[in-house]
Amino acid sequence: MPTPAKAAKIEELAEKLARSRIAILIQTQGLSVKEMNELRSKVRPMNVEVQVAKNTLLRLAAQRNQLPDVDPNIFHGQTTVAFGYDDEVAAAKAIVDSLQNSNMVVLKAAILGGRSLTPERVEALAKISGGKPSAQAQLVGGLQGPLSTTYSLLTAPLRDLCYVLQARAEQLQQQQQTQSE
């Protein structure tokens, strides 16, 4: 049974996990307080909150949020969590860019959509150009192209039949006019 302070911390972490679109786990061991504050200030404009958390409490918070696809093995070593509340891609990009400038910070994993992401997948997410809106536009474009083609193929025979019937009606009307003259 956790102490009241730990229970409150678990509840806070569970609430932040539920609110966040992505939670990126990093290892910041060896960073000074000044460097940690610089990291926080770099990612704050992207609506990313950085917080040091105990692995056990973080794992319990993930369980409380019913995230069964989260690998429990990601909760090891010293862990700092970056909660991204708006754009997953922008949050991943902000963290990965911050990590490239530091030799001490290591990307461990991430939680996105109730699943664990490997460090490689987080880096790939950060490399999406244009961010989330661009990725959504590419997805819509990728879906819209084949659907538009299918629609055109399915409606072509009916459209052509209408053109033929209209041409025949005009032809009959012209014949009727020539006969009445």
Side-chain angles (χ1 to χ4, degrees):
M1 190 72 181
T3 64
K6 287 183 180 179
K9 191 67 173 175
I10 292 169
E11 195 62 40
E12 175 190 347
L13 288 170
E15 184 268 327
K16 287 181 180 183
L17 276 174
R19 255 188 331 132
S20 66
R21 296 199 176 244
I22 188 169
I24 302 170
L25 283 63
I26 53 178
Q27 185 171 341
T28 55
Q29 192 170 5
L31 283 185
S32 67
V33 173
K34 180 183 175 189
E35 292 169 326
M36 191 68 168
N37 287 335
E38 285 175 6
L39 173 65
R40 286 184 172 113
S41 65
K42 282 181 187 176
V43 298
R44 192 172 293 125
M46 308 300 177
N47 200 13
V48 176
E49 179 184 352
V50 177
Q51 176 179 350
V52 177
K54 289 189 175 248
N55 289 313
T56 305
L57 301 181
L58 192 56
R59 184 175 33 83
L60 290 172
Q63 289 172 351
R64 184 165 291 173
N65 282 348
Q66 299 175 355
L67 303 174
D69 294 333
V70 173
D71 184 11
N73 295 326
I74 65 174
F75 304 114
H76 63 83
Q78 190 269 346
T79 302
T80 301
V81 185
F83 297 101
Y85 296 112
D86 288 337
D87 186 355
E88 302 91 341
V89 176
K93 185 168 181 53
I95 293 297
V96 169
D97 288 348
S98 298
L99 298 182
Q100 289 177 348
N101 300 332
S102 174
N103 295 334
M104 294 184 186
V105 182
V106 177
L107 184 62
K108 291 172 59 173
I111 301 171
L112 174 67
R115 291 196 163 88
S116 304
L117 294 181
T118 62
E120 295 80 24
R121 290 208 173 190
V122 176
E123 289 173 358
L125 183 66
K127 289 179 184 174
I128 294 176
S129 63
K132 185 177 178 180
S134 175
Q136 289 173 332
Q138 287 176 354
L139 176 66
V140 169
L143 292 174
Q144 187 179 13
L147 289 176
S148 176
T149 303
T150 303
Y151 173 77
S152 295
L153 288 173
L154 292 175
T155 59
L158 184 58
R159 183 183 60 235
D160 293 345
L161 176 64
C162 289
Y163 289 147
V164 167
L165 290 175
Q166 184 178 2
R168 180 66 179 149
E170 289 172 4
Q171 184 183 29
L172 290 174
Q173 194 175 32
Q174 285 177 355
Q175 285 177 355
Q176 190 177 30
Q177 285 176 354
T178 54
Q179 287 177 356
S180 51
E181 291 176 359

